[in-house]
Amino acid sequence: MRRYLLGKVLQALLTLAFVLVFNFFLFRVLPGDPAALLLRGTAAFNPDNVAQMRADLGLDRPLLEQFLTYVGNTLTFNFGESFFLKGADVAEVVLDKLWPTVLLVGTSTIASTLIGLWIGIRGGWRPGSRFDLTSQGVTLFAYAMPSFWFGIMALMLFSGLAGLFPTGGYATPGADLTGLAHAADVLNHMVLPFVVLTVGYLGQYSIIMRSSMIDVIGDDFIATARAKGVRERDVLWRHAVPNALLPTMTLTFLSLGFVFSGAITVEYVFSWPGVGWLSVQAIDSKDYPLLQALFLLFSAGVIVANLAADLLYSSLDPRVRAR
């Protein structure tokens, strides 16, 4: 077990190191000079000032020296200053936008996981039933819809026509609410994007759980439990479900890892001020320091989630450690 854990942790660290190297070189092969972008459109835009700006940013140094400086800064969470936000500290900007994303995407991921697994369990236990056929059709239809289109339709129907919910944003501008009133205002703005994300991702959990349940109920241990007279409810929840859950663990944890990358299209449609919308702004403005920090955050989230899934899977199924 110790060897297995050390191997998985080492794999995660090596993957993170590769991402670190890739992140450094990726933004140095992209077109455009960061120094020129910073000064473009200002009175200071001339070759001498551009050269001085390159020196201030350290872009005139040898590539190896730049890389060592980049690694040292990254390990101390010093990601530099944002071009787009006029010198704001990148780490502070990302942390400021991280909470809205975790609030929206995190809660919707948990909700879609729990509901999707329940749908898959019920449908897989009685394949071909009316519930199974109906739930498959509805969840797969929702999963196939582009999330931005689904979000726009929800806005048009519930905000534009019905006027039930705000058209976007995190809170009412200028309301200056505090306490429970502020929390209620945020939740009111969060309803539509939450529903869009939750409904949109039900299909990926329900179809995998359903397939896993169908495989499990045909195994010998299910027939043995029934032959012993175990109640059908106990056969389902004590024998079938724990074994059928194993294949869904990796998907569930990877989805939690993607929480930190946000939902770019949904955040953009609903003007939700999270890291997804921040990514769009950083791409539009070619904000290289901000993009580097976001790319590293997204990759680290997935790597850590995958590591957690591997470790938990090995605890739930000892056969994995024997390979």
Side-chain angles (χ1 to χ4, degrees), residues 260-321:
F260 297 104
S261 62
I264 292 178
T265 54
V266 172
E267 289 187 13
Y268 188 77
V269 168
F270 289 96
S271 301
W272 188 263
V275 293
W277 195 22
L278 182 64
S279 301
V280 175
Q281 296 173 310
I283 292 171
D284 288 341
S285 60
K286 295 183 176 61
D287 193 335
Y288 297 118
L290 187 54
L291 285 172
Q292 278 189 319
L294 290 171
F295 180 79
L296 190 61
L297 172 67
F298 302 161
S299 302
V302 175
I303 292 170
V304 172
N306 188 60
L307 174 62
D310 286 339
L311 299 182
L312 182 60
Y313 203 104
S314 67
S315 300
L316 297 175
D317 189 353
R319 293 172 298 178
V320 175
R321 301 196 298 267

Side-chain angles (χ1 to χ4, degrees), residues 129-199:
S129 63
R130 182 179 300 178
F131 176 85
D132 180 41
L133 297 177
T134 303
S135 62
Q136 279 192 82
V138 172
T139 56
L140 290 179
F141 175 76
Y143 187 53
M145 284 191 299
S147 55
F148 72 89
W149 181 86
F150 189 14
I152 291 173
M153 293 300 104
L155 274 176
M156 292 175 60
L157 179 61
F158 296 103
S159 296
L161 295 179
L164 298 175
F165 300 102
T167 56
Y170 180 76
T172 303
D176 198 23
L177 301 174
T178 58
L180 292 178
H182 173 69
D185 185 41
V186 172
L187 292 176
N188 189 39
H189 283 77
M190 181 178 156
V191 170
L192 286 183
F194 173 84
V195 171
V196 168
L197 285 173
T198 300
V199 174

Side-chain angles (χ1 to χ4, degrees), residues 56-69:
D56 294 340
L57 295 175
L59 298 176
D60 61 336
R61 301 173 187 171
L63 195 61
L64 179 59
E65 184 179 345
Q66 292 185 45
F67 176 73
L68 294 176
T69 302

Side-chain angles (χ1 to χ4, degrees), residues 25 30 35 78-79 83 113 115 120 124 167 181 200 216 222 239 273 283 305 312:
F25 288 101
L30 292 176
N78 178 17
F79 298 102
F83 298 166
T113 301
I115 298 173
T167 56
V216 166
I222 297 295
H239 297 275
I283 292 171
L312 182 60

Side-chain angles (χ1 to χ4, degrees), residues 72-235:
N73 289 339
T74 301
L75 293 177
T76 57
F77 300 100
N78 178 17
F79 298 102
E81 297 179 348
S82 170
F83 298 166
F84 169 65
L85 297 172
K86 307 300 182 184
D89 183 73
V90 168
E92 293 180 0
V93 172
V94 174
L95 287 176
D96 182 59
K97 300 298 182 182
L98 191 59
W99 165 243
T101 290
V102 172
L103 177 63
L104 172 62
V105 185
T107 54
S108 64
T109 298
I110 294 173
S112 61
T113 301
L114 296 177
I115 298 173
L117 292 180
W118 177 81
I119 292 173
I121 291 170
R122 184 171 176 182
W125 188 244
R126 295 284 185 269
S129 63
R130 182 179 300 178
F131 176 85
D132 180 41
L133 297 177
T134 303
S135 62
Q136 279 192 82
V138 172
T139 56
L140 290 179
F141 175 76
Y143 187 53
M145 284 191 299
S147 55
F148 72 89
W149 181 86
F150 189 14
I152 291 173
M153 293 300 104
L155 274 176
M156 292 175 60
L157 179 61
F158 296 103
S159 296
L161 295 179
L164 298 175
F165 300 102
T167 56
Y170 180 76
T172 303
D176 198 23
L177 301 174
T178 58
L180 292 178
H182 173 69
D185 185 41
V186 172
L187 292 176
N188 189 39
H189 283 77
M190 181 178 156
V191 170
L192 286 183
F194 173 84
V195 171
V196 168
L197 285 173
T198 300
V199 174
Y201 287 97
L202 287 177
Q204 69 174 350
Y205 299 103
S206 63
I207 193 65
I208 292 178
M209 190 64 196
R210 177 183 179 273
S211 300
S212 184
M213 283 292 295
I214 292 175
D215 290 339
V216 166
I217 60 177
D219 288 343
D220 293 338
F221 69 90
I222 297 295
T224 301
R226 285 171 169 165
K228 289 180 177 180
V230 178
R231 292 185 305 173
E232 197 72 1
R233 182 180 180 85
D234 290 337
V235 173

